[in-house]
Amino acid sequence: MRYQVVIAGFGGQGSVFLVKILALCAGNKDVACLGTENHGMSQRGGAVSCTIKLGNYTNPVIDANQADLLIGLEKNEALRNVQFLKPTGTLAVNAESDFPSSDINATVFQVDAFDKAKKKELPIQGLNVYMLGVVVSKCEDFPFTEEDVKQALRDFNPKVAEQNIEVLEKAIADTKA
Amino acid sequence: MKQTLMGNDAIAWGIIHSDIDMVSGYPGTPSSEILGNVNKLKHQMNLDLYAEWGTNEKVGFEVAYAGAVAGRRAAATMKQVGLNVASDALMSAAYIGNLGAFVLIVADDPGFHSSQTEQDSRVFAKFAKIPVLDPATPQDAYDFVKIAADISETFQTPTMLRPVMRVCHARQIVDIDEETNFKPGKGEFKREIGRWAAVPRAGRIIQGYEQIERINALKEYNWENLIKPEFDKCKGGKLLILTSGTGDGFARETLEDIGIEADVVKFKMPYPLPENQIREQFKNYEKVLVVEEPMPCIEEQILTEKVHGKLDGTMHVIDEMQKVYIQNALIKIGVYTGADLYPVVPFKEEIAARPPNLCPGCPHRDIYYAITKVFRKKKSIYPSDIGCYTLAINQGAIDTVLCMGASVSMASGFSIADPDKYVVATIGDSTFFHGGIPPLVNAVYQKHKFMLVVLDNSVVAMTGRQLPPQRENKEIDIMKIAEGCGADVYEHIYSNDIQHSLDFFKDMKKVYDEADGPIVVVVREFCVLDKEVVDDHIPLEFAEVVPEDCTACDQCTTIYKCPPMAYNADGKVEIDPFLCIGCGACLSVVCPTDAFVQDTSRGIIREENK
Ligand code: SF4
Ligand code: SF4
């Protein structure tokens, strides 16, 4: 298997957390993986993009036109990183309905998770997991199942796993509806 | 045993599985988690080892190095610019050598992700004439710590491990030893004045010759053990690619992407290279391309007419590696003629940049706000230093940043060069300990008139919240240190009432006007990411803006600049409820029309998934 993922957001949104979860998913299925994350500015509101390459790769960075999946935790950070997606790739983005999906040369799944958080349908710190749920439910070539992700969430931190799993399930239910 | 590890975790495991039992250094991204992880493992497994931060890299280096002089296995950790600070010690240690093992771990940052410079520590190793190992992945990083420790002990030389950011912060499933049989050593210093006391000249010239012999022996070792087995696997042909570190992974993937066969040789130890044996191999190839970052370290050692790389402009010469650079190099030397596989098509409209900013609720913001209000920009110079507070550059509250501790010495210089201005320097607590004290002594000694504000949040916030000296041992007191240096010292206890800070600095301005030497102000703060203390400081007073009262005067968005503040579609400022942490600081003072009010509908938000 070979699958390349870029996760884009800004400091405090938890992009790094998603990389850790995907790495755990890979570890549990004995799939090789190589990922990278930006530290330093990541807590302070600056742009944060992380990558994870699943399968037999030798460097953790993703070049333009290479990624299979881009998870955009925020609209502008998604747009800033679209160049990494290949035309057959998928973008899962948290953005309002005016997101310029038609200008993007890839399959786009757009949800307004901020709005859901404002309406208190999900906790704001669960935004990242919510977007992962969108990916699990919508993205056909995504290599991990709902159960794989849940297992990784439990492995990462059993204390908050239930909360995260709830958010994941909500995302899946919302997008299937 | 297989584990998903970040490079810095893998290095920590490598340290423990090499029986290294003394670790010291100074935090700096991307190296910071190494020592912290060693400490974590120490406590988890109840190991008998020393792993503590030094006050700066030179101190950290010397503490660990002394361990190796006394026969123990030791390591020092730092980032590449930290090595500049420790370079004085390194240069001498490289002559003198060590008895046990001394592994110098220096994390490089090609691409300037969190550094002032892009220097290549492999070149520094070459300058100091010590061997350097260059891991490509977290797995390599784990394995190479062990090789480095063994080389260091066998050849009695400090040995460098140089991971780059994409190794330190890469994540991979790493195969590490099944069991931990940690065997700490016992040091025994053996007096040998001629060796350990580096005075000129007789002893040194002998050590200088020994150093050259050592390097020649290491070249042989490198060839026999590390390089020859790689060349033995090669087939010869049109193209040979020589790499080390991450360059290797980039090169192999590029070749695969574009479907070209070539021999790739990874130098685990890119210095010292057995240049003659390597050049001998070139006859089997038409062209040789060197893929390395960030500087031409390998290339300079093995250069011939066949070799292409940075020196002849085939490869990029600055910034981080990308596969597209290798593809383009292969086009330039006529090996690849196909399509561009990595075309960059950015989104058609320009996207607003997102400059890193001080965190919402960070006390530094208020202090800078007060400083610039009281000591007007036109009449002042603001030298600053390295740390989170450097982000106040967005507030226009910082004029210069050079290196650790330079705020103080540059304040001295500005006070001499432009005496009609107020010079207000800022420095963090950890940076003050690191490099701020000697220049303060100098300033008192020579009566340089400026104000030094020590922003004491008692945490090394920028690099992951390591604990600084005064937090671990309350006996250490920044005010007493500054007093001991002979400066006039004042204390300001931060509160979220901005008027309180404004009044304080107004008083300080009067003191400044009367002073005839440096004044030091110690501001007692906290960091909003410091879980131990933050609840005592953040009152959960969230802000909102009354739209009718906002006159779009820009005060909050240009001078105060808390991240949640931004204009909405109606041209009024709005507070992003997801970013505001409820520090309440902006509720008074900041808005001239009092449009900021408390948003009482907000509950408590805690951030978990980080
Ligand atoms: S990490 Fe701490 S010190 Fe740094 S900007 Fe944030 S609150 Fe301020
Ligand atoms: S209360 Fe004001 S200063 Fe504090 S975090 Fe919110 S917007 Fe920023």
Side-chain angles (χ1 to χ4, degrees):
Chain A
M1 176 187 67
R2 283 199 141 193
Y3 197 77
Q4 309 190 46
V5 187
V6 177
I7 298 160
F10 57 80
Q13 286 195 314
S15 329
V16 173
F17 177 78
L18 287 191
V19 170
K20 290 181 184 166
I21 294 301
L22 294 182
L24 282 172
C25 288
N28 287 342
K29 305 206 94 179
D30 213 13
V31 171
C33 73
L34 200 50
T36 172
E37 47 210 63
N38 275 343
H39 284 210
M41 299 300 171
S42 56
Q43 297 278 15
R44 293 154 196 96
V48 179
S49 67
C50 308
T51 66
I52 180 155
K53 293 160 95 170
L54 303 160
N56 190 19
Y57 289 98
T58 49
N59 96 75
V61 182
I62 296 179
D63 265 61
N65 198 40
Q66 298 289 304
D68 299 282
L69 172 65
L70 167 63
I71 304 179
L73 299 178
E74 191 265 348
K75 168 180 149 201
N76 277 349
E77 294 312 317
L79 294 175
R80 205 189 307 284
N81 288 281
V82 280
Q83 67 196 52
F84 293 105
L85 266 181
K86 48 180 158 194
T88 55
T90 305
L91 166 64
V93 62
N94 165 35
E96 304 91 81
S97 53
D98 63 351
F99 186 76
S101 301
S102 53
D103 292 337
I104 288 166
N105 190 15
T107 309
V108 181
F109 298 119
Q110 172 260 326
V111 290
D112 192 346
F114 277 150
D115 186 55
K116 290 183 194 295
K118 270 189 206 166
K119 292 185 186 137
K120 307 239 185 310
E121 290 175 34
L122 62 116
I124 183 63
Q125 71 271 19
L127 167 81
N128 47 2
V129 175
Y130 191 87
M131 292 311 296
L132 190 56
V134 172
V135 169
V136 170
S137 110
K138 285 292 212 182
C139 178
E140 277 167 17
D141 59 353
F142 186 65
F144 302 120
T145 64
E146 179 178 344
E147 195 37 54
D148 294 340
V149 174
K150 285 181 181 169
Q151 187 54 45
L153 288 168
R154 283 186 216 110
D155 294 346
F156 181 79
N157 184 350
K159 272 193 232 139
V160 290
E162 278 318 309
Q163 242 175 305
N164 279 323
I165 287 172
E166 243 174 66
V167 174
L168 188 82
E169 283 173 345
K170 168 148 181 57
I172 293 169
D174 285 0
T175 41
K176 287 230 168 91
Chain B
M1 175 170 60
K2 287 193 173 167
Q3 279 200 37
T4 309
L5 296 178
M6 209 172 67
N8 284 346
D9 308 322
I11 293 173
W13 275 111
I15 285 176
I16 286 176
H17 288 165
S18 306
D19 290 336
I20 289 171
D21 58 9
M22 282 181 70
V23 190
S24 186
Y26 188 79
T29 311
S31 75
S32 310
E33 298 87 1
I34 300 169
L35 194 149
N37 285 328
V38 171
N39 241 327
K40 226 190 284 162
L41 296 174
K42 164 189 163 139
H43 291 298
Q44 270 167 22
M45 297 188 284
N46 202 9
L47 306 177
D48 178 19
L49 62 82
Y50 173 90
E52 297 293 344
W53 295 114
T55 40
N56 68 27
E57 294 84 358
K58 180 175 185 293
V59 173
F61 181 111
E62 289 160 359
V63 169
Y65 176 64
V69 165
R72 301 226 338 211
R73 292 194 141 210
T77 78
M78 58 198 65
K79 69 181 293 182
Q80 90 281 18
V81 284
L83 181 60
N84 302 341
V85 177
S87 63
D88 208 1
L90 169 63
M91 287 303 180
S92 286
Y95 274 72
I96 295 169
N98 42 265
L99 283 182
F102 182 62
V103 182
L104 171 61
I105 304 169
V106 186
D108 278 6
D109 190 14
F112 311 85
H113 291 278
S114 51
S115 312
Q116 319 80 304
T117 67
E118 199 190 37
Q119 46 194 75
D120 188 333
S121 299
R122 298 175 309 160
V123 176
F124 222 128
K126 186 168 156 229
F127 180 28
K129 297 203 189 76
I130 61 161
V132 52
L133 289 135
D134 191 8
T137 57
Q139 179 71 60
D140 271 2
Y142 172 77
D143 297 335
F144 288 12
V145 178
K146 296 177 167 186
I147 304 178
D150 289 341
I151 288 178
S152 176
E153 197 160 65
T154 310
F155 291 89
Q156 298 208 352
T157 172
T159 300
M160 186 188 287
L161 180 78
R162 192 281 311 223
V164 297
M165 185 279 242
R166 297 292 182 192
V167 172
C168 291
H169 290 166
R171 202 171 277 283
Q172 187 185 33
I173 299 165
V174 180
D175 205 353
I176 63 172
D177 288 356
E178 218 49 59
E179 278 174 51
T180 301
N181 297 313
F182 182 70
K183 285 188 272 332
K186 213 175 143 340
E188 197 196 345
F189 178 69
K190 294 204 185 70
R191 175 164 295 126
E192 203 183 326
I193 297 169
R195 177 170 187 189
W196 305 127
V199 287
R201 157 182 153 93
R204 257 17 75 193
I205 188 148
I206 295 167
Q207 283 180 344
Y209 282 115
E210 283 170 1
Q211 188 183 41
I212 289 164
E213 269 172 41
R214 200 152 61 212
I215 282 297
N216 287 331
L218 274 159
K219 286 182 183 178
E220 278 311 306
Y221 171 95
N222 199 359
W223 175 254
E224 285 303 325
N225 296 282
L226 305 176
I227 300 176
K228 188 162 170 295
E230 296 297 315
F231 274 113
D232 287 346
K233 285 186 248 164
C234 287
K235 299 198 273 289
K238 204 164 176 168
L239 176 68
L240 169 68
I241 297 186
L242 299 178
T243 69
S244 86
T246 44
D248 186 74
F250 282 95
R252 287 177 202 270
E253 273 189 25
T254 315
L255 290 175
E256 222 185 300
D257 288 357
I258 67 183
I260 283 183
E261 296 246 346
D263 285 336
V264 181
V265 168
K266 170 167 84 171
F267 295 131
K268 291 180 176 153
M269 182 156 84
Y271 175 82
L273 288 179
E275 56 282 72
N276 295 332
Q277 285 104 316
I278 293 169
R279 287 195 186 114
E280 183 61 21
Q281 303 294 319
F282 294 173
K283 62 176 189 295
N284 304 327
Y285 301 91
E286 276 173 40
K287 299 207 156 114
V288 180
L289 177 69
V290 185
V291 177
E292 60 184 327
E293 68 176 348
M295 286 158 78
C297 174
I298 295 172
E299 194 180 347
E300 281 176 352
Q301 293 177 75
I302 50 95
L303 199 60
T304 70
E305 270 168 17
K306 267 189 191 169
V307 174
H308 302 279
K310 293 174 190 283
L311 295 172
D312 68 347
T314 303
M315 286 296 299
H316 71 302
V317 289
I318 196 164
D319 209 354
E320 207 178 8
M321 186 75 70
Q322 293 175 28
K323 289 196 275 187
V324 67
Y325 294 137
I326 302 170
Q327 169 197 272
N328 293 348
L330 295 175
I331 293 172
K332 278 187 207 160
I333 60 173
V335 177
Y336 178 62
T337 49
D340 179 3
L341 296 180
Y342 316 106
V344 178
V345 191
F347 186 66
K348 59 183 173 58
E349 279 153 45
E350 191 142 343
I351 303 155
R354 192 186 292 282
N357 199 341
L358 292 167
C359 296
C362 178
H364 297 334
R365 176 177 289 103
D366 293 15
I367 298 303
Y368 280 105
Y369 180 80
I371 289 172
T372 52
K373 282 273 164 187
V374 173
F375 297 90
R376 293 287 172 167
K377 286 188 194 182
K378 275 198 192 123
K379 289 194 184 149
S380 306
I381 307 173
Y382 309 126
S384 192
D385 229 299
I386 314 277
C388 276
Y389 47 94
T390 317
L391 298 170
I393 210 157
N394 292 337
Q395 273 171 281
I398 288 178
D399 289 319
T400 65
V401 178
L402 185 68
C403 62
M404 298 284 284
S407 60
V408 191
S409 14
M410 288 183 74
S412 279
F414 288 130
S415 74
I416 298 162
D418 194 349
D420 295 338
K421 297 226 174 82
Y422 288 104
V423 179
V424 184
T426 44
I427 191 169
D429 49 310
S430 183
T431 313
F432 177 73
F433 291 123
H434 177 290
I437 299 170
L440 180 60
V441 173
N442 181 60
V444 175
Y445 158 41
Q446 288 162 20
K447 288 202 164 59
H448 297 144
K449 181 169 161 174
F450 59 86
M451 185 162 88
L452 174 67
V453 182
V454 184
L455 304 159
D456 173 20
N457 60 8
S458 295
V459 83
V460 194
M462 189 69 158
T463 50
R465 299 178 291 289
Q466 293 79 12
L467 303 183
Q470 83 280 26
R471 179 119 168 216
E472 299 263 59
N473 187 338
K474 300 266 186 289
E475 298 292 306
I476 303 162
D477 183 344
I478 296 175
M479 287 185 66
K480 280 195 199 149
I481 291 172
E483 274 160 18
C485 293
D488 273 345
V489 187
Y490 299 84
E491 184 178 37
H492 175 55
I493 315 262
Y494 169 84
S495 78
N496 68 344
D497 176 2
I498 298 179
Q499 192 59 47
H500 174 56
S501 294
L502 282 167
D503 292 342
F504 174 79
F505 280 103
K506 275 184 202 146
D507 290 344
M508 280 300 114
K509 193 174 181 190
K510 288 182 206 133
V511 173
Y512 190 123
D513 287 333
E514 301 296 315
D516 60 356
I519 321 159
V520 176
V521 169
V522 180
V523 187
R524 306 296 190 184
E525 299 181 354
F526 63 94
C527 164
V528 298
L529 301 180
D530 188 342
K531 291 207 170 75
E532 268 178 40
V533 302
V534 69
D535 289 347
D536 301 339
H537 292 282
I538 299 295
L540 300 176
E541 292 168 7
F542 298 91
E544 69 179 332
V545 175
V546 182
E548 301 77 52
D549 293 343
C550 172
T551 58
C553 70
D554 287 352
Q555 286 287 314
C556 60
T557 51
T558 60
I559 304 176
Y560 192 68
K561 273 201 158 176
C562 190
M565 300 169 181
Y567 281 105
N568 62 19
D570 306 332
K572 303 285 182 180
V573 167
E574 212 175 83
I575 304 295
D576 183 337
F578 299 124
L579 291 175
C580 174
I581 69 154
C583 77
C586 61
L587 294 175
S588 57
V589 183
V590 171
C591 176
T593 54
D594 287 330
F596 280 69
V597 296
Q598 191 173 338
D599 174 0
T600 43
S601 72
R602 291 283 307 279
I604 295 170
I605 286 184
R606 288 278 172 250
E607 298 169 82
E608 299 285 352
N609 291 345
K610 285 200 178 162

